[in-house]
Coordinates of all heavy atoms in Angstrom, one line a residue:
V278 N 63.9 86.0 172.8 CA 64.3 85.8 174.1 C 63.3 85.0 174.9 O 63.6 84.1 175.7 CB 64.6 87.2 174.8 CG1 64.9 87.0 176.3 CG2 65.7 87.9 174.1
I279 N 62.0 85.2 174.6 CA 60.9 84.6 175.3 C 60.9 83.0 175.1 O 60.4 82.3 175.9 CB 59.5 85.2 174.9 CG1 58.5 84.9 175.9 CG2 59.1 84.9 173.5 CD1 57.2 85.7 175.8
L280 N 61.5 82.6 173.9 CA 61.6 81.2 173.6 C 63.0 80.7 173.9 O 63.5 79.7 173.3 CB 61.3 81.0 172.1 CG 59.8 81.2 171.7 CD1 59.6 81.0 170.3 CD2 58.8 80.4 172.5
G281 N 63.7 81.4 174.8 CA 65.1 80.9 175.2 C 66.2 81.5 174.4 O 67.4 81.1 174.6
G282 N 65.9 82.5 173.6 CA 67.0 83.2 172.9 C 67.9 84.0 173.9 O 67.4 84.4 175.0
V283 N 69.1 84.3 173.5 CA 70.0 85.0 174.4 C 69.8 86.5 174.2 O 69.8 87.0 173.1 CB 71.5 84.6 174.0 CG1 72.5 85.4 174.8 CG2 71.7 83.1 174.1
P284 N 69.6 87.2 175.3 CA 69.3 88.7 175.2 C 70.6 89.5 174.9 O 70.9 90.5 175.6 CB 68.7 89.0 176.5 CG 69.4 88.0 177.5 CD 69.6 86.8 176.7
R285 N 71.3 89.2 173.9 CA 72.4 90.0 173.4 C 72.5 90.0 171.9 O 72.2 88.9 171.3 CB 73.8 89.4 174.0 CG 74.0 89.6 175.5 CD 74.1 91.1 175.9 NE 74.2 91.2 177.3 CZ 73.2 91.3 178.2 NH1 72.0 91.2 177.8 NH2 73.5 91.4 179.5
D286 N 72.8 91.1 171.3 CA 72.9 91.3 169.9 C 73.9 90.3 169.3 O 75.0 90.3 169.7 CB 73.2 92.7 169.6 CG 72.9 93.1 168.1 OD1 72.3 92.3 167.4 OD2 73.3 94.2 167.7
Y287 N 73.4 89.5 168.3 CA 74.3 88.5 167.6 C 74.5 88.9 166.2 O 73.5 89.1 165.4 CB 73.7 87.1 167.8 CG 74.5 86.0 167.1 CD1 75.5 85.4 167.9 CD2 74.2 85.6 165.9 CE1 76.2 84.4 167.3 CE2 74.9 84.5 165.3 CZ 75.9 83.9 166.0 OH 76.6 82.9 165.5
I288 N 75.7 89.0 165.7 CA 76.0 89.3 164.3 C 76.9 88.2 163.7 O 77.9 87.8 164.3 CB 76.8 90.7 164.3 CG1 75.9 91.8 164.8 CG2 77.2 91.0 162.8 CD1 76.7 93.0 165.2
L289 N 76.4 87.7 162.6 CA 77.2 86.7 161.8 C 77.2 87.1 160.4 O 76.1 87.4 159.9 CB 76.5 85.3 162.0 CG 77.0 84.2 161.2 CD1 78.4 83.8 161.6 CD2 76.1 83.0 161.3
F290 N 78.3 87.2 159.8 CA 78.3 87.6 158.3 C 79.3 86.7 157.5 O 80.2 86.1 158.1 CB 78.7 89.1 158.2 CG 80.1 89.4 158.6 CD1 81.1 89.3 157.7 CD2 80.4 89.8 159.9 CE1 82.4 89.5 158.1 CE2 81.7 90.1 160.3 CZ 82.7 90.0 159.4
L291 N 79.0 86.8 156.2 CA 79.9 86.1 155.3 C 80.6 87.2 154.4 O 79.9 88.0 153.8 CB 79.1 85.1 154.4 CG 79.9 84.2 153.5 CD1 80.8 83.3 154.3 CD2 78.9 83.4 152.6
L292 N 81.9 87.2 154.5 CA 82.6 88.3 153.8 C 82.4 88.3 152.3 O 82.4 87.2 151.6 CB 84.1 88.2 154.0 CG 85.0 89.2 153.3 CD1 84.9 90.5 154.0 CD2 86.4 88.7 153.2
A293 N 82.1 89.4 151.7 CA 82.1 89.6 150.2 C 83.4 90.4 149.9 O 83.3 91.7 150.1 CB 80.9 90.2 149.7
A294 N 84.5 89.8 149.6 CA 85.7 90.6 149.5 C 85.6 91.6 148.4 O 85.0 91.4 147.3 CB 86.9 89.6 149.1
N295 N 86.2 92.7 148.6 CA 86.3 93.8 147.6 C 87.4 94.8 147.8 O 88.0 94.8 149.0 CB 84.9 94.5 147.4 CG 84.6 95.3 148.7 OD1 85.2 96.3 149.0 ND2 83.6 94.8 149.4
G296 N 87.7 95.6 146.8 CA 88.8 96.5 146.9 C 88.6 97.6 148.0 O 89.6 98.1 148.5
L297 N 87.4 98.0 148.3 CA 87.2 99.0 149.3 C 87.6 98.5 150.7 O 88.2 99.3 151.4 CB 85.7 99.5 149.4 CG 85.2 100.2 148.1 CD1 83.7 100.5 148.3 CD2 86.0 101.5 148.0
L298 N 87.3 97.3 150.9 CA 87.8 96.7 152.2 C 89.3 96.6 152.3 O 89.9 96.9 153.3 CB 87.1 95.3 152.5 CG 85.6 95.4 152.7 CD1 85.0 94.0 152.6 CD2 85.3 96.1 154.0
S299 N 89.9 96.1 151.2 CA 91.4 96.0 151.2 C 92.0 97.4 151.3 O 93.1 97.6 151.9 CB 92.0 95.2 150.0 OG 91.6 95.8 148.8
R300 N 91.3 98.5 150.8 CA 91.8 99.9 150.9 C 91.8 100.3 152.4 O 92.7 100.9 152.9 CB 90.9 100.8 150.1 CG 91.2 102.2 150.1 CD 92.5 102.6 149.5 NE 93.2 103.5 150.3 CZ 94.5 103.6 150.6 NH1 95.3 102.7 149.9 NH2 95.0 104.4 151.4
Q301 N 90.7 99.8 153.1 CA 90.6 100.2 154.5 C 91.8 99.5 155.3 O 92.3 100.1 156.2 CB 89.3 99.7 155.1 CG 89.0 100.0 156.5 CD 89.1 101.5 156.9 OE1 88.3 102.3 156.4 NE2 90.1 101.9 157.7
V302 N 92.1 98.2 154.9 CA 93.2 97.6 155.6 C 94.5 98.4 155.3 O 95.3 98.6 156.2 CB 93.4 96.1 155.1 CG1 94.6 95.4 155.7 CG2 92.1 95.3 155.2
A303 N 94.7 98.8 154.0 CA 95.9 99.6 153.6 C 95.9 100.8 154.5 O 97.0 101.2 155.0 CB 95.8 99.9 152.2
E304 N 94.8 101.5 154.8 CA 94.8 102.7 155.6 C 95.2 102.4 157.0 O 96.0 103.1 157.6 CB 93.4 103.3 155.6 CG 93.2 104.4 154.6 CD 91.8 104.9 154.6 OE1 91.3 105.3 155.6 OE2 91.3 104.9 153.5
Y305 N 94.8 101.2 157.6 CA 95.2 100.8 158.9 C 96.7 100.6 158.9 O 97.4 100.8 159.9 CB 94.4 99.6 159.4 CG 93.0 99.8 159.8 CD1 92.0 98.9 159.5 CD2 92.7 101.0 160.5 CE1 90.7 99.1 160.0 CE2 91.4 101.2 160.9 CZ 90.4 100.3 160.7 OH 89.1 100.5 161.1
L306 N 97.2 100.0 157.8 CA 98.7 99.8 157.7 C 99.4 101.1 157.7 O 100.4 101.4 158.4 CB 99.0 99.0 156.5 CG 98.6 97.5 156.6 CD1 98.5 96.9 155.2 CD2 99.6 96.7 157.4
E307 N 98.9 102.0 156.8 CA 99.6 103.3 156.6 C 99.6 104.2 157.9 O 100.5 104.9 158.2 CB 98.9 104.1 155.5 CG 99.2 103.6 154.1 CD 98.2 104.1 153.1 OE1 97.1 104.4 153.4 OE2 98.7 104.3 151.9
T308 N 98.5 104.1 158.7 CA 98.4 104.9 159.9 C 99.0 104.2 161.1 O 99.0 104.8 162.2 CB 96.9 105.2 160.2 OG1 96.2 104.0 160.2 CG2 96.4 106.2 159.2
G309 N 99.6 103.0 160.9 CA 100.3 102.3 162.0 C 99.3 101.7 163.0 O 99.8 101.2 164.1
I310 N 98.1 101.6 162.6 CA 97.1 100.9 163.5 C 97.4 99.4 163.4 O 97.4 98.7 164.4 CB 95.7 101.2 163.1 CG1 95.4 102.6 163.7 CG2 94.7 100.2 163.6 CD1 94.0 103.2 163.4
I311 N 97.6 98.9 162.2 CA 98.2 97.5 162.0 C 99.7 97.7 162.0 O 100.2 98.3 161.1 CB 97.7 96.8 160.8 CG1 96.2 96.6 160.8 CG2 98.4 95.4 160.6 CD1 95.5 96.0 159.6
K312 N 100.4 97.1 163.0 CA 101.8 97.3 163.1 C 102.6 96.2 162.6 O 103.8 96.2 162.4 CB 102.2 97.6 164.6 CG 101.5 98.8 165.1 CD 102.0 99.1 166.6 CE 101.3 100.3 167.2 NZ 99.8 100.1 167.3
K313 N 102.0 95.0 162.5 CA 102.7 93.8 162.0 C 101.7 92.8 161.4 O 100.5 92.8 161.8 CB 103.6 93.2 163.1 CG 102.8 92.8 164.3 CD 103.7 92.4 165.5 CE 104.3 93.6 166.1 NZ 105.0 93.4 167.4
V314 N 102.2 92.0 160.5 CA 101.4 91.0 159.9 C 102.1 89.7 160.3 O 103.2 89.4 159.8 CB 101.3 91.1 158.4 CG1 100.4 89.9 157.9 CG2 100.7 92.4 158.0

Side-chain angles (χ1 to χ4, degrees):
V278 176
I279 199 167
L280 295 179
V283 178
R285 290 296 179 274
D286 194 8
Y287 180 83
I288 297 160
L289 173 68
F290 67 84
L291 187 64
L292 177 77
N295 65 69
L297 291 176
L298 292 170
S299 57
R300 177 68 227 142
Q301 181 62 63
V302 181
E304 265 177 51
Y305 284 144
L306 287 159
E307 282 164 332
T308 51
I310 282 180
I311 297 177
K312 296 182 183 65
K313 54 191 78 166
V314 179

